[in-house]
Amino acid sequence: CNETSVLKRRLILLASGLIIAGLLAGQSQSAGDVASQVHRYGMVAEIIETPISGSDGPIDARQLMANTNILTSEPHMLAEYLERGVIGLTEKVYTSQVWTDDAVLSLIQHYGVNQVVYFPDLPTDDTNPFFNSLRRFEDGHELQHSWLKPVVVTPKIQIYEVIDGTLPFKLQCH
């Protein structure tokens, strides 16, 4: 009987140790995720706060984004920085939607997006056809979207105006 109670105590201690180890591992993973997001926010903030050389003097990227409806490759971090909502394209890990030009145009028209902000320098695991086409533009290829007008194109940030009059189709609202 005494051996049984010693065995029970040891099992309880072992189980408690495993639970505590699991909790600590989970907290460590969460802390790593938070640190990664804080670092990414810092990169977005630094890119936006760095003056951009323009032909008429320095350009303030934040000012360019004022009073616009934005579609961006960094929706969480840009929304946090600007302290307002922006639109992003759901990553392929969360959706079966492929972000073709038609799908992006539909989203742009549905939400009245008039500006696209792309951060080509920030690493991503997502292979998004729309944003990849903007990366190719940066690499010297011709911009394949006649409905986008480049406002600022640098290695770290690209800002485009959506030219409403050149959109290839209009959505019918019922």
Side-chain angles (χ1 to χ4, degrees), residues 85-141:
V86 299
I87 297 171
L89 304 178
T90 307
E91 294 179 23
K92 69 179 179 181
V93 72
Y94 301 112
T95 184
S96 60
Q97 172 73 53
V98 177
W99 292 109
T100 62
D101 285 356
D102 287 345
V104 172
L105 280 168
S106 177
L107 187 84
I108 282 172
Q109 291 176 329
H110 182 78
Y111 290 102
V113 170
N114 54 8
Q115 192 174 75
V116 175
V117 178
Y118 175 50
F119 295 90
D121 202 36
L122 295 182
T124 180
D125 295 332
D126 201 32
T127 53
N128 180 304
F130 175 71
F131 287 123
N132 282 341
S133 72
L134 298 181
R135 179 179 297 280
R136 286 193 303 274
F137 171 62
E138 176 196 78
D139 292 338
H141 294 82

Side-chain angles (χ1 to χ4, degrees), residues 62 132 173:
R62 185 178 183 134
N132 282 341
C173 296

Side-chain angles (χ1 to χ4, degrees), residues 12-156:
I12 290 171
L13 284 173
L14 178 63
S16 298
L18 289 173
I19 290 170
I20 289 171
L23 289 172
L24 290 175
Q27 289 299 314
S28 173
Q29 176 67 33
S30 290
D33 291 345
V34 168
S36 171
Q37 292 301 316
V38 167
H39 177 66
R40 197 164 191 87
Y41 173 83
M43 291 189 297
V44 167
E46 181 181 343
I47 290 168
I48 294 171
E49 290 171 359
T50 302
I52 301 164
S53 297
S55 57
D56 296 333
I59 299 169
D60 179 357
R62 185 178 183 134
Q63 194 66 8
L64 286 176
M65 292 183 241
N67 303 314
T68 59
N69 294 331
I70 298 172
L71 169 67
T72 182
S73 59
E74 285 294 326
H76 301 291
M77 300 303 115
L78 186 58
E80 174 104 9
Y81 182 81
L82 296 175
E83 298 178 340
R84 65 184 176 93
V86 299
I87 297 171
L89 304 178
T90 307
E91 294 179 23
K92 69 179 179 181
V93 72
Y94 301 112
T95 184
S96 60
Q97 172 73 53
V98 177
W99 292 109
T100 62
D101 285 356
D102 287 345
V104 172
L105 280 168
S106 177
L107 187 84
I108 282 172
Q109 291 176 329
H110 182 78
Y111 290 102
V113 170
N114 54 8
Q115 192 174 75
V116 175
V117 178
Y118 175 50
F119 295 90
D121 202 36
L122 295 182
T124 180
D125 295 332
D126 201 32
T127 53
N128 180 304
F130 175 71
F131 287 123
N132 282 341
S133 72
L134 298 181
R135 179 179 297 280
R136 286 193 303 274
F137 171 62
E138 176 196 78
D139 292 338
H141 294 82
E142 187 172 320
L143 182 63
Q144 60 185 355
H145 310 293
S146 61
W147 42 273
L148 287 180
K149 175 185 170 191
V151 177
V152 169
V153 177
T154 74
K156 295 188 178 286

